[in-house]
Amino acid sequence: MNFLETHLPGVILIEPDVHVDDRGFFLETYQSKRYSGGGITADFVQDNHSNSPRDTLRGLHAQLENPQAKLIRVIEGEALDVAVDIRVGSPTFGKFFATRLSSENFCQLFIPEGFAHGFCVTSAVCQLVYKCSNFYDPESEIVIAWNDPDIAIPWPVDNPRLSERDAAGRPLRDLGERLP
């Protein structure tokens, strides 16, 4: 199992050990001692599961008063998964890390508190599951515009399927008064 640091401090790409034979495959998707040794010490309290068709873009979401660390993986299909540093004063504030997560590569992405998260489905359908270190708190949530020009994420779609909430996202610079 490999825990790979990214250019955003605390954002970790996990390459699990996958055991494949003629019966299929087996892998550990979380084991607290092993993940703690890889730098992931979050205490997870909630699991989420989404199912979305191609070109769906969810995000960019974060909770401010009750921040969530997330451990994300795809169990069907593929998505471009993105973390954005929203920690005011951080040398990487407003910078992003993006990676493809898929049911074929088995990789996971750990996003610590202080980051926004979003993803875009690049396969016919995608099922994404993730652990959260805090409970969902809609009063604490912010939505950053998926196409914020200051962040400039190279999404794989120009005209994504968006929820009303995500379509109304605001640029990160407009959220400054709410950021920690």
Side-chain angles (χ1 to χ4, degrees), residues 63-177:
Q63 290 184 185
L64 299 180
E65 288 78 30
N66 296 297
Q68 294 177 312
K70 296 177 179 175
L71 180 61
I72 302 142
R73 68 188 184 101
V74 168
I75 60 171
E76 178 186 8
E78 180 180 84
L80 180 70
D81 204 85
V82 177
V84 177
D85 188 346
I86 61 169
R87 300 169 300 164
V88 174
S90 167
T92 56
F93 176 80
K95 303 294 185 202
F96 71 90
F97 174 77
T99 191
R100 293 201 179 268
L101 300 180
S102 75
S103 56
E104 293 183 6
N105 71 19
F106 297 99
C107 289
Q108 296 173 293
L109 186 64
F110 175 74
I111 302 174
E113 294 177 1
F115 289 78
H117 172 245
F119 67 91
C120 183
V121 176
T122 57
S123 55
V125 67
C126 179
Q127 291 193 59
L128 187 138
V129 294
Y130 56 103
K131 295 183 166 308
C132 299
S133 66
N134 211 334
F135 299 106
Y136 177 62
D137 178 8
E139 300 302 316
S140 175
E141 187 173 48
I142 59 168
V143 180
I144 300 167
W146 67 276
N147 58 352
D148 184 329
D150 293 336
I151 301 172
I153 298 166
W155 294 109
V157 62
D158 293 326
N159 198 14
R161 296 175 194 238
L162 298 169
S163 68
E164 287 183 28
R165 177 179 64 149
D166 290 345
R170 296 171 51 201
L172 182 58
R173 70 176 167 268
D174 292 353
L175 297 167
E177 73 283 355

Side-chain angles (χ1 to χ4, degrees), residues 19-42:
H19 306 279
V20 180
D21 63 23
D22 62 349
R23 300 168 297 163
F25 67 86
F26 173 84
L27 72 148
E28 283 183 351
T29 60
Y30 180 73
Q31 199 260 32
S32 63
K33 286 183 183 177
R34 192 175 331 278
Y35 277 58
S36 179
I40 298 170
T41 59

